[in-house]
Amino acid sequence: MVTYVCLGVLILFVSLNSLSYISNRKKSPSFEEIDEQLISIVNGEAKRHE
Amino acid sequence: MNKKKPVTIRPFLQTKYSYEKLRICNHCKSFTVLWEDQCASCGKDALMPIHTKAKIKAKRSMRNELLAALLFTLVGVWFGRDPMQMTLCAIVGILLILLLWNVQRRMLPYVIPQEMESLIEDEEARIIEGIKHNRQTAISHLQNNEVMTYEMLREISTLVHNDRIRLQQVVLLQTFILRKDMDLVIEPLLLKDFDTDLAAYIGEISKVQRDLIKNQTIRYILTYEAQILEMEHGRDIMTGVAGAAVRMKKYVDSYPEFIRRYARYLPKDRFMRLYQLIRQHPEQSWGHLAEEVSRIHSDKYTQG
């Protein structure tokens, strides 16, 4: 019984993780977006101080 | 009068993205954009690019998921009632682990940017603090090593985009003797407003590295032409830029009136370059430039 529960949990775990990876793939930012985000954080703070 | 110093500036390592300059200490989590080997905060040799840090984090999280899947499989096998059930559980478990591993491997290039994004969001305060510390370090070298200060400010300015840091660099560059072999820039240093040091710097660049004179720089000196002409060597600056602009036809096409105004003052080699360019394209409409160039040519270069 425990074996089947473990297998069930494992199937669920792998399925959910795989689906989560695949669905998050579209949300992945491009390197250009990361660059813009970093620059806006750094310069936004600098402007507040000026 | 001339207080400029001969210096050697180390080449600037240009990166595709600005974030590639940012490194995090794996020990104390402080950030830096400078090139030091050891962390300035904790002294440990643990600095790494944020991309590497994000990759390590993503791989660690994936490894933990695989270990969790392995644990479920082992527990299932351990509690199997007979060898048949144990074998079945082991085979299904291994297949599922392989499936998860394959998905993770394919998704890693998408997970790393997500990790980088969350790293930047979570560590915003530390990033700003690190850059502030970098600027203080740069300024602390100003008295004894101006070149070092310039090089540090140049690195910091890959992320910090404001006129203050641009002006600091321009002022420092104006204390150096500029040479052809130096790794110099103009466009990243262009200010919103007029500045005499920047105008003088552009004038020098137009002599030593005329390839750096491009549209943005020409537009800058045209915007502040009146102020530049009020400077002691203002006309030389304008002439220098016009001389640099004639190296490419597209600039002559775009700014014929500007080049016409300074054509008379161009050195012979630059003027002849302009003259040849206009002669090679008689079909082109240059406004009054062609007439002016022809007049200057007959006045200055056809006699004797």
Side-chain angles (χ1 to χ4, degrees):
Chain A
M1 184 65 187
V2 178
T3 302
Y4 291 121
V5 171
C6 282
L7 271 183
V9 171
L10 183 61
I11 290 168
L12 204 64
F13 178 76
V14 171
S15 311
L16 288 177
N17 270 300
S18 302
L19 285 173
S20 157
Y21 279 121
I22 292 163
S23 66
N24 283 337
R25 179 183 169 168
K26 286 175 191 155
K27 291 180 197 159
S28 180
S30 65
F31 289 124
E32 283 81 6
E33 285 167 340
I34 292 171
D35 223 26
E36 279 172 25
Q37 184 195 14
L38 179 61
I39 286 170
S40 76
I41 284 174
V42 171
N43 293 288
E45 184 63 21
K47 273 179 195 151
R48 278 199 288 276
H49 281 277
E50 276 178 357
Chain B
M1 281 294 283
N2 191 1
K3 291 176 190 167
K4 288 178 186 271
K5 287 173 280 190
V7 294
T8 304
I9 299 172
R10 75 173 80 182
F12 179 64
L13 182 66
Q14 188 75 46
T15 53
K16 188 175 178 190
Y17 301 107
S18 306
Y19 71 74
E20 290 172 75
K21 292 276 179 186
L22 188 65
R23 292 184 300 158
I24 179 173
C25 175
N26 206 25
H27 184 253
C28 70
K29 309 280 178 263
S30 58
F31 287 82
T32 181
V33 285
L34 301 181
W35 54 80
E36 68 263 42
D37 292 328
Q38 285 161 343
C39 174
S41 299
C42 69
K44 299 269 181 193
D45 195 6
L47 289 168
M48 61 173 69
I50 58 166
H51 184 273
T52 310
K53 177 72 183 171
K55 193 173 175 182
I56 289 171
K57 243 178 126 182
K59 281 191 166 179
R60 188 184 297 144
S61 147
M62 287 177 169
R63 190 196 57 204
N64 289 343
E65 285 166 9
L66 287 174
L67 285 174
L70 183 66
L71 185 71
F72 287 129
T73 308
L74 291 175
V75 172
V77 171
W78 181 262
F79 286 101
R81 271 184 301 179
D82 51 55
M84 180 73 176
Q85 207 177 56
M86 289 166 87
T87 313
L88 178 76
C89 183
I91 291 170
V92 174
I94 288 166
L95 285 176
L96 286 171
I97 289 168
L98 285 175
L99 173 73
L100 181 61
W101 173 76
N102 195 32
V103 171
Q104 286 179 343
R105 197 173 52 89
R106 285 167 187 267
M107 293 300 134
L108 186 63
Y110 303 97
V111 177
I112 292 171
Q114 288 170 16
E115 287 289 350
M116 284 173 75
E117 191 180 41
S118 54
L119 177 72
I120 290 169
E121 279 168 5
D122 297 345
E123 302 291 349
E124 190 179 322
R126 281 184 205 265
I127 293 171
I128 291 162
E129 196 54 45
I131 290 171
K132 267 187 208 164
H133 190 262
N134 287 161
R135 285 184 82 158
Q136 285 163 2
T137 309
I139 299 302
S140 71
H141 286 93
L142 190 59
Q143 292 299 319
N144 55 3
N145 195 343
E146 287 173 334
V147 177
M148 176 86 83
T149 301
Y150 166 70
E151 288 169 349
M152 286 181 168
L153 289 174
R154 186 177 59 174
E155 293 293 327
I156 297 165
S157 67
T158 53
L159 285 178
V160 177
H161 299 173
N162 63 41
D163 278 0
R164 194 170 157 200
I165 197 160
R166 291 185 191 111
L167 191 57
Q168 284 171 332
Q169 289 176 82
V170 169
V171 169
L172 283 168
L173 282 165
Q174 278 303 92
T175 66
F176 307 149
I177 296 173
L178 304 180
R179 295 188 314 270
K180 209 176 231 181
D181 61 329
M182 280 178 170
D183 201 356
L184 301 169
V185 290
I186 287 191
E187 290 188 352
L189 299 177
L190 291 178
L191 306 170
K192 286 191 196 85
D193 302 314
F194 173 69
D195 182 79
T196 50
D197 281 316
L198 178 59
Y201 175 67
I202 292 171
E204 278 194 53
I205 289 289
S206 70
K207 289 177 198 139
V208 295
Q209 289 188 27
R210 63 173 72 110
D211 287 357
L212 294 179
I213 305 285
K214 293 177 186 165
N215 267 316
Q216 274 191 46
T217 313
I218 299 173
R219 280 201 289 271
Y220 180 85
I221 60 121
L222 284 176
T223 307
Y224 299 108
E225 187 174 2
Q227 289 96 319
I228 292 172
L229 288 174
E230 282 172 15
M231 290 167 63
E232 193 183 353
H233 299 290
R235 200 182 71 188
D236 293 343
I237 294 170
M238 298 303 293
T239 308
V241 175
V246 302
R247 78 186 188 282
M248 288 177 90
K249 182 174 172 287
K250 68 173 182 177
Y251 297 131
V252 183
D253 287 344
S254 305
Y255 309 100
E257 189 50 31
F258 158 58
I259 292 167
R260 185 195 66 76
R261 290 201 293 278
Y262 297 95
R264 187 164 288 277
Y265 311 111
L266 288 175
K268 187 176 179 184
D269 69 312
R270 303 319 298 153
F271 178 81
M272 292 313 287
R273 160 84 193 142
L274 176 63
Y275 178 72
Q276 294 299 337
L277 192 75
I278 289 173
R279 273 191 62 181
Q280 282 163 14
H281 301 277
E283 75 292 347
Q284 186 99 20
S285 165
W286 305 96
H288 298 297
L289 177 64
E291 291 167 32
E292 180 73 2
V293 166
S294 174
R295 194 178 309 126
I296 297 167
H297 188 257
S298 38
D299 288 353
K300 289 174 78 175
Y301 301 109
T302 52
Q303 304 294 317

